[in-house]
């Protein structure tokens, strides 16, 4: 009763009902667009974890409805992906699939045709909230990694990625993970997001794959990350996939067997990983600065 009454007093809840949005969350994407212009010039978009469809409605009204001719409408491709089916939306192609599977990424690309890929990937998905902040933050982070990994498969160079996060202790790590693939990264809390909520949204733009990286769909809760990274045969994947999945830097010790430190000397191994990260252009400068602070503190302790 209390939650229902609170919702009905909410201005965005009432406005969503009046304007025909399926959920008040539509205004979150609208506000992100107002702040960053993420929909400008976009014709190909993907909505991950789309049900019940409020973000797909925004994409439909902003990208498809303004088209005047059949050719213009045909040029707009919007793919909505979810495990659940949802009621049809104008101009939206619905795809029932699991965003943690490579087959889903391939199906999305197949809908675009030719060499085209998405210009924008958005994800408003969230796990069932337990009320335990650390657990909720962890589960949301795993979902975000899955959404990020599928975005690396379907985004074109220069593309944009927007996704929900739960702000917490892992936000700094998240920033470093995102900056591996995007030159611009920001965290934004739109006015339509309740002040009491821990949610915010990552807004990542200017997508660019690191040289030698082969996109993989990553599910940290299911996959053996090291084996997954080795499947491509790419040394870049062996270094970066464990870091992207869970912040693990141990893969650096295995990436170059000729340079790896011996297991009998843990301190030497730490120094090797540190040196490898600091000399690797794949890692963002912000993360290197954080790592240097931690490394310097460890030297003082030892």
């Amino acid at each position: 009763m209390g939650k229902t009454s609170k919702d009905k007093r909410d201005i965005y809840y009432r406005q969503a009902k009046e304007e025909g949005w399926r959920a008040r969350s539509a205004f979150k994407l609208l506000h992100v667009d107002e702040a960053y212009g993420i929909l400008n010039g976009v014709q190909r978009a993907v909505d991950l974890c789309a049900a019940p469809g409020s973000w797909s409605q925004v994409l439909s009204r902003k990208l498809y409805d303004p088209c005047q001719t059949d050719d213009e409408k045909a040029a707009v491709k919007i793919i909505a992906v979810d495990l659940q089916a949802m009621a049809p939306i104008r101009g939206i192609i619905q795809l029932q699939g699991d965003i943690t599977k490579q087959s889903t990424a391939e199906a999305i690309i197949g809908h675009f045709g030719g060499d085209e890929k998405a210009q924008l990937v958005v994800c408003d998905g969230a796990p069932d909230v337990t009320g335990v902040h650390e657990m909720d933050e962890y589960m949301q982070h795993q979902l975000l990694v899955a959404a990020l990994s599928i975005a690396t498969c379907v985004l074109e160079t220069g593309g944009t990625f927007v996704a929900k996060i739960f702000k917490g202790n892992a936000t700094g790590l998240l920033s470093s993970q995102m900056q591996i693939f995007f030159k611009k990264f920001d965290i934004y809390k739109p006015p339509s997001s309740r002040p009491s909520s821990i949610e915010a949204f990552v807004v990542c733009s200017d997508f660019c794959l690191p040289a030698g990286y082969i996109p993989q769909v990553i599910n940290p809760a299911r996959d053996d990350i090291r084996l997954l990274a080795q499947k491509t045969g790419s040394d870049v994947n062996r270094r970066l996939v464990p870091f992207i999945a869970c912040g693990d830097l141990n893969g650096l010790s295995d990436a170059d067997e000729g340079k790896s430190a011996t297991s009998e000397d843990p301190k030497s191994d730490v120094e090797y990983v540190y040196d490898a990260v600091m000399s690797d252009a794949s890692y963002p400068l912000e993360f290197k600065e954080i790592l240097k602070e931690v490394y310097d503190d460890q030297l003082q302790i030892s």
Side-chain angles (χ1 to χ4, degrees):
M1 177 70 72
K3 187 176 187 298
T4 302
S5 299
K6 181 179 179 180
D7 283 344
K8 288 184 177 179
R9 290 196 302 269
D10 183 276
I11 182 174
Y12 295 108
Y13 176 89
R14 297 196 302 271
Q15 192 172 347
K17 291 291 185 182
E18 294 170 359
E19 297 180 8
W21 300 109
R22 295 184 180 182
R24 68 185 297 284
S25 56
F27 293 104
K28 298 173 186 178
L29 185 58
L30 289 169
H31 287 153
V32 172
D33 182 44
E34 289 176 7
Y36 295 91
I38 61 169
L39 301 180
N40 294 343
V42 171
Q43 290 184 311
R44 301 181 301 279
V46 177
D47 182 9
L48 302 175
C49 304
S54 62
W55 278 29
S56 291
Q57 281 184 299
V58 172
L59 297 175
S60 172
R61 296 188 190 185
K62 290 288 188 176
L63 306 182
Y64 182 80
D65 287 355
C67 295
Q68 300 295 318
T69 67
D70 290 341
D71 288 342
E72 289 177 346
K73 291 181 178 180
V76 174
K77 293 287 181 66
I78 306 170
I79 316 297
V81 184
D82 203 288
L83 288 170
Q84 303 177 17
M86 61 187 192
I89 301 173
R90 290 186 306 275
I92 303 295
I93 300 170
Q94 292 193 38
L95 176 63
Q96 283 187 259
D98 184 346
I99 69 168
T100 66
K101 293 186 176 180
Q102 188 73 33
S103 58
T104 302
E106 293 169 357
I108 293 171
I109 294 173
H111 279 292
F112 290 127
D115 296 328
E116 289 185 335
K117 288 190 173 184
Q119 298 163 300
L120 171 69
V121 174
V122 298
C123 179
D124 191 32
D128 293 332
V129 177
T130 66
V132 179
H133 177 69
E134 291 79 6
M135 177 62 73
D136 293 337
E137 180 189 350
Y138 173 79
M139 294 303 295
Q140 180 64 27
H141 189 89
Q142 304 309 297
L143 179 62
L144 181 56
V145 168
L148 170 66
S149 65
I150 204 168
T152 65
C153 295
V154 305
L155 266 180
E156 69 177 19
T157 300
T160 301
F161 175 63
V162 176
K164 178 183 290 184
I165 64 163
F166 290 164
K167 296 180 70 174
N169 295 331
T171 302
L173 172 62
L174 172 66
S175 171
S176 296
Q177 290 167 321
M178 295 292 175
Q179 288 182 75
I180 288 175
F181 300 107
F182 298 92
K183 295 180 181 178
K184 297 178 182 178
F185 168 86
D186 201 5
I187 295 178
Y188 175 67
K189 187 173 179 66
S192 46
S193 178
R194 293 188 179 92
S196 59
S197 172
I198 61 173
E199 75 170 6
F201 294 88
V202 295
V203 182
C204 309
S205 57
D206 206 353
F207 171 71
C208 184
L209 283 174
Y213 183 85
I214 299 174
Q216 291 182 281
V217 175
I218 302 168
N219 182 350
R222 179 196 62 203
D223 298 327
D224 184 320
I225 299 303
R226 288 183 175 275
L227 289 178
L228 181 71
Q230 292 172 0
K231 282 184 178 180
T232 62
S234 168
D235 285 342
V236 178
N237 284 57
R238 291 174 64 185
R239 294 199 310 273
L240 294 184
V241 167
F243 176 68
I244 295 163
C246 51
D248 181 11
L249 292 173
N250 290 327
L252 285 171
S253 298
D254 303 327
D256 188 342
E257 295 178 0
K259 296 181 181 178
S260 61
T262 61
S263 58
E264 291 83 359
D265 187 359
K267 181 179 179 182
S268 179
D269 188 58
V270 170
E271 290 175 348
Y272 168 72
V273 172
Y274 173 78
D275 291 341
V277 171
M278 299 304 285
S279 61
D280 193 332
S282 301
Y283 290 92
L285 179 60
E286 178 183 347
F287 176 71
K288 292 180 180 180
E289 292 174 349
I290 295 173
L291 181 62
K292 185 177 186 305
E293 292 179 5
V294 174
Y295 182 72
D296 290 343
D297 289 342
Q298 290 294 321
L299 287 180
Q300 292 178 6
I301 294 173
S302 59

